[in-house]
Amino acid sequence: MKTLFRQIDRLRVTYIFFLRLQWKISKISFLVAVLSALLTTVNSLAVVMFPGFILDFLAKGDRRNFLYTVIVFAAWELLVAFFKAVVKRVSEAQNRKISDRINHMLVEKATSLRYEQLESPEILELYETAKKCVNDNRITQFMSGIISLIFSLAELISLLYVLKSMPLWVLAVFVAVTVVNAVVNMVISKNTVEEAEEEIPVSRVMRYFSYELIKPAYAKEMRAFDLGSYVFKRHSESIDELIDIEKKYYTKRARFINYSSVAGKALSVTFYIYCIFRFYSGLLTVGEFTTSLNAMFRFSQVTNSAVSKLTEISTRGILLGKTMDYLNITSSALGTKPVAPWEKGGTIEFVDVSYRYPNSKDYALKNVSLTIRFGEKISVVGPNGAGKTTLIGLMLGLFRPTEGKILYNGTDVEELDFAEYRNRFSVLLQDYQIYNFSILENLTFSENPADSEYASALEAIEKIGLKNKTEALPNKERSFISQMFDENGIRLSGGEEQKLAIARAIYQNSDIFILDEPTSALSPVNEYEIYRHFADITGEKTVMYISHRLSSCSLCSRIIVLNNGMLTEDGSHAELMKNNSLYASMYRTQAELFI
Ligand code: ADP
């Protein structure tokens, strides 16, 4: 019982949430839903009553009234058809507007969440459900469902007035059939929710193979490895799996749908028997016979649809509840304290920091204590999987330490305003992205940057050695990368893309540079050029530099070695060579290759 109350309360909260949201986005959609429900109700009463009047006038031979009534009925039906078409058009446009706006909110939410949250399977599931709800128009249907339910109740009361003489035994059959239908509806809606929940992870796989992998970014490798047949096979498998799920649930549902239609037939027979009996007893005229039958059928139709709307509302409520949960997630970066400037004496301190990825049992980083001081140039080295990228992610505040804390100038990073803290860093990530924007927009993230921003972007392009390339392009720095938004779009080589990503970090010009494998795609000559201009590029900034090429360590005064998630060495090149541990052995191995 307690669970039921909790479910009803959650439905109420969900309903109010979407009511407010829809009201905010489109007030017209409410008017349209009310008009549509009103029209359906009034029209169905007309359809119940008019044929009876017409038949009675006909039976009495009253041709004048017969004709009038037929004309009025026909005109009414025409008017209703016209209004229904208008209402449908307006409501479709409003529904699209609502879906677009909520889709936009989903994008806004996804971009506002902290990175660690986007990796959580629970949040991914909520996101999938929310997307499905919006795309299937479930939100607007939920709303209009409730409004038409209210009107259905009004219609039922009016019909009861017509059917006031209905005897108890007909009422008993009616109630029994309604109960059967209600149970069937409940079973079906439970079945629908279970089906949707089972389908979501499979749909995710299917979408990956149908939408993601056919994107141009994968096209080259797909052909080089002849991945097409594998993708096609996996796609067919997921479709088969989806069909199997649908079939399984449909078979279950079909059995119950049969019970419901048998009950419906029994009710029709009862109605006919009752009305025919009354007609032959002389209690009904032909017209009243028709009106009574129509009213009975309409009464049963409205009751059933009200019951199914009620169950549908609760079913939708469960899925919409998840959409509401997604929209209500707040970023786990909750700090509000202002971030002090990064200047002489500044420190970023890792205090016994450990980190374990969600759903992972091993620690990626264990008990790391480390202080980064203003102006230092630090090289972070270590074998693959040692925890270098994780260390950077933690420093950037992408994830929260599982244990320990990170202090910025003595204040826990979790207490700081996240956007402000993030602005302290110019970053080149290992898996940097080049966007299908213009070269300029890839740096400034603005279509029309201010003059000073424009000048800084050109300076960054020059510093990184992309000036000649850019100057030679017909649209120079305004040239688009890829042909997605411009048919004259250009393509950059892997090395050029990496240079552009470094230029972006230079353009950002923040206090602390984080460069994760910045030269992995560059030729030795280009890499040498970057090393040569390293001091010019990074200036007085504090730098954290991750590289597998240990020759780059000569650029940094301090080297940190990570191994198996632990900080094992920390010192200058000379000190670590003297230490004769992992760094020294890695350095010697790389040096040997160049002898
Ligand atoms: P490095 O940058 O030194 O190569 P990483 O910091 O990327 O190492 O990874 C450290 C460890 O954390 C590795 O064992 C890796 O498998 C694991 N790891 C990295 N990213 C994730 C993730 N998103 N989820 C689970 N484990 C991860």
Side-chain angles (χ1 to χ4, degrees), residues 119 357 360 364 383-390:
E119 288 210 320
Y357 283 95
S360 187
N384 284 331
K388 303 182 291 293
T389 301
T390 308

Side-chain angles (χ1 to χ4, degrees), residues 379-382 388 498 517-528 531 545-556 583 586-587 590-591 594:
S379 193
V380 185
V381 301
K388 303 182 291 293
Q498 191 162 40
E517 300 275 0
T519 56
S520 56
L522 299 187
S523 69
V525 175
N526 278 319
E527 187 176 38
Y528 171 73
Y531 285 178
Y545 190 99
I546 301 181
S547 177
H548 279 296
R549 305 197 202 170
L550 299 190
S551 54
S552 66
C553 291
S554 59
L555 305 168
C556 302
Y583 177 77
M586 281 167 70
Y587 190 84
Q590 281 201 2
F594 290 97

Side-chain angles (χ1 to χ4, degrees), residues 20 88 166 222 241 254 284 323 353 444 449 497 528 577:
R20 284 203 179 127
K88 188 165 176 252
M166 193 157 67
M222 196 77 78
E241 210 177 322
L284 297 176
T323 309
V353 170
T444 58
E497 286 197 344
Y528 171 73
M577 288 308 284

Side-chain angles (χ1 to χ4, degrees), residues 199-227:
E199 272 176 5
I200 280 169
V202 186
S203 314
R204 199 183 303 156
V205 174
M206 190 198 64
R207 259 209 309 284
Y208 182 64
F209 283 100
S210 57
Y211 301 121
E212 284 294 320
L213 290 187
I214 58 161
K215 285 184 181 164
Y218 297 97
K220 218 187 277 172
E221 186 158 307
M222 196 77 78
R223 277 145 192 84
F225 287 113
D226 194 16
L227 264 175

